[in-house]
Amino acid sequence: MLRYFTAGESHGEALVAFLSGIPAGLEIDQDFVDRELWRRQQGYGRGGRMKIESDSAHILSGVRHGKTIGSPISLEIANKDWKNWQEALPVGTGDSAKHKRVASPRPGHADLAGALKYNFPEARYVLERASARESAARVAIGAIAKLFLRILGIEVLSHVITVGSVTLNGSVTWENISALHKRDEILLNCTDSEIEQRMKEEVDKVLRTGDSLGGVFEVVAHSVPPGLGTYAQWDERLDALLAAAVMSLQAVKAVEIGSGVAAAFAAGSTVHDEIGYAAKSGFTSFSRPHNNAGGIEGGISNGEEIRVRGYLKPISTLRRPLQSVDFSTREPVKAAYERSDVCVVPAAGVAAEAMVALTLARCALEKFGGDSMAETVRNFAGYREQLKKF
Ligand SMILES: Cc1cc2nc3c(=O)[nH]c(=O)nc-3n(C[C@H](O)[C@H](O)[C@H](O)COP(=O)(O)O)c2cc1C
């Protein structure tokens, strides 16, 4: 069973992640893991923090001589900013005069609800953990899940559909998304460069006005076999697992599978993907003229590409802060401001790729099992044969 946890404060010494259940014998490409971390740090509209941090995963356990050994994998991502925070956020008692209080809760963040829940007099400890810095830890273990999936031929990538009021209409092919992924510079991770320029202008506008933006990304999983997830039990449905995984990312407020939102307003005859049969080189010879289902029917992957969209609310920290209340005096004040991104849609897409990859890896391991990669691959090959003969 694939299980994972993360730990770490945004301005603490390091982020930590644990990943248990990856079979023995999977080659770990450190450069790939670090490139995924780099991708999460890119995008037009990021704040100063991204200029300080250049993330790298330091693997502590579960990998020896370049391969997994079936034991839990743990890794650490150092926070380079820690050197500036050692006195403000020490593990020991420290000097309370040096603590950096967050005196007024920021609307849209966990600050107020977290302070009430944990009985903190201010929001420092809340934002330290609620911050999306945590998603870097998920991207690192997600990269390992991607390496695992790659052995089965499954690839997971993302692209940006909407930034603020600018939206890319029409479908985007896997080839378009792969080409985007090869670029050395990530602007807004949109496959259409004209639309991407308009997205950039949207970001420029909020940079000028002290506001922030949200948007929509789409994660695409390519070459997923039919049969991952099941309708047999509610909590084993692949759509439910993916929705929870992507929704768990900071600032994601809605998740859509395929064209689920538009489908709610359309007639069934225009939505459901008709079934044909024509010799082709996929897992089976069944074919679909389109993929409105986003690759999942009845909670099971159906052999088409899996497409999951995440809808992000605008970044909560505003340079022109919203109204709040001082924690101590209860007097009206402007919300606290800390260095912040103004648009993170491409980065959120990368974090969502990690969550989709971890979810698919979990379902693949549940279906194919295996304590070693040799065993998993053999079981997968047997299933492929079964599908061919179906
Ligand atoms: C990759 C990424 C980076 C983010 N960076 C910031 C940031 O710099 N400042 C900020 O206010 N919010 C940022 N956010 C969004 C906040 O984390 C989010 O608004 C906050 O967690 C509250 O959202 P929630 O209610 O969904 O948890 C970021 C989100 C993601 C996915």
Side-chain angles (χ1 to χ4, degrees):
M1 186 180 168
L2 198 70
R3 286 181 295 172
Y4 47 94
F5 283 98
T6 70
E9 281 79 44
S10 179
H11 298 99
E13 188 170 356
L15 297 169
V16 178
F18 302 89
L19 177 64
S20 179
I22 293 285
L26 175 69
E27 219 167 285
I28 297 299
D29 178 346
Q30 176 80 47
D31 291 344
F32 175 74
V33 176
D34 288 346
R35 182 172 157 87
E36 292 292 285
L37 288 169
W38 172 82
R39 290 178 65 227
R40 195 202 71 95
Q41 296 188 285
Q42 303 308 300
Y44 192 68
R46 305 306 300 278
R49 178 83 192 259
M50 288 306 110
K51 294 185 184 91
I52 298 170
E53 304 288 356
S54 111
D55 289 335
S56 175
H58 176 56
I59 296 176
L60 299 166
S61 72
V63 180
R64 296 293 150 195
H65 305 115
K67 288 185 179 178
T68 56
I69 56 171
S71 311
I73 298 168
S74 57
L75 58 84
E76 181 190 270
I77 302 167
N79 283 329
K80 304 233 163 65
D81 209 9
W82 169 239
K83 58 180 184 302
N84 304 316
W85 282 81
Q86 290 188 42
E87 292 188 326
L89 204 59
V91 173
T93 314
D95 175 356
S96 63
K98 295 193 168 144
H99 295 186
K100 291 189 183 167
R101 292 178 75 249
V102 178
S104 51
R106 300 157 307 161
H109 276 293
D111 297 2
L112 179 58
L116 292 170
K117 176 177 169 68
Y118 292 100
N119 196 25
F120 296 141
E122 50 94 16
R124 168 55 60 199
Y125 303 146
V126 177
L127 75 87
E128 284 298 325
R129 183 61 187 158
S131 151
R133 173 85 188 125
E134 180 270 347
S135 63
R138 301 200 233 176
V139 168
I141 50 174
I144 295 173
K146 281 187 173 190
L147 290 170
F148 167 77
L149 292 172
R150 206 179 257 182
I151 301 295
L152 308 184
I154 302 169
E155 298 275 348
V156 182
L157 288 175
S158 68
H159 67 108
V160 169
I161 291 178
T162 299
V163 169
S165 66
V166 178
T167 291
L168 172 70
N169 291 308
S171 60
V172 173
T173 64
W174 174 254
E175 288 67 33
N176 293 150
I177 302 168
S178 304
L180 194 60
H181 179 61
K182 290 190 186 99
R183 285 194 204 158
D184 282 332
E185 251 180 76
I186 299 174
L187 189 61
L188 286 151
N189 207 34
C190 180
T191 54
D192 182 317
S193 45
E194 229 169 87
I195 302 279
E196 192 172 46
Q197 277 308 318
R198 285 178 43 209
M199 290 173 169
K200 178 175 177 287
E201 285 161 22
E202 283 281 286
V203 178
D204 284 333
K205 221 184 294 170
V206 293
L207 280 169
R208 277 196 303 274
T209 57
D211 217 318
S212 68
L213 286 173
V216 183
F217 59 77
E218 182 175 63
V219 179
V220 182
H222 184 71
S223 200
V224 180
L228 300 189
T230 174
Y231 50 77
Q233 205 56 262
W234 67 271
D235 59 350
E236 296 173 39
R237 292 180 63 104
L238 182 57
D239 45 5
L241 294 170
L242 287 171
V246 174
M247 183 69 104
S248 74
L249 286 165
Q250 296 84 353
V252 172
K253 290 298 125 200
V255 179
E256 178 182 19
I257 310 272
S259 47
V261 173
F265 305 98
S269 57
T270 65
V271 169
H272 301 301
D273 311 312
E274 290 182 301
I275 300 172
Y277 195 77
K280 62 172 185 124
S281 56
F283 289 97
T284 72
S285 295
F286 292 101
S287 63
R288 304 295 181 103
H290 37 68
N291 182 21
N292 289 329
I296 305 174
E297 288 169 303
I300 311 178
S301 62
N302 64 7
E304 301 296 307
E305 273 171 3
I306 290 185
R307 291 193 174 238
V308 188
R309 291 179 179 191
Y311 290 69
L312 288 177
K313 68 182 177 186
I315 290 291
S316 310
T317 308
L318 301 182
R319 196 158 42 78
R320 265 201 342 215
L322 296 174
Q323 200 56 41
S324 184
V325 170
D326 187 286
F327 272 118
S328 315
T329 65
R330 312 292 155 114
E331 291 295 323
V333 288
K334 291 291 178 193
Y337 176 76
E338 257 183 36
R339 184 183 48 205
S340 177
D341 302 322
V342 299
C343 171
V344 295
V345 193
V350 175
E353 288 173 33
M355 294 311 291
V356 168
L358 285 159
T359 305
L360 293 178
R362 170 187 158 179
C363 292
L365 279 165
E366 277 164 17
K367 177 139 183 68
F368 307 117
D371 294 308
S372 68
M373 285 308 293
E375 192 180 359
T376 308
V377 166
R378 192 166 65 236
N379 295 344
F380 181 62
Y383 179 63
R384 278 198 91 130
E385 270 311 294
Q386 176 188 312
L387 290 174
K388 283 263 175 265
K389 290 185 188 143
F390 177 87

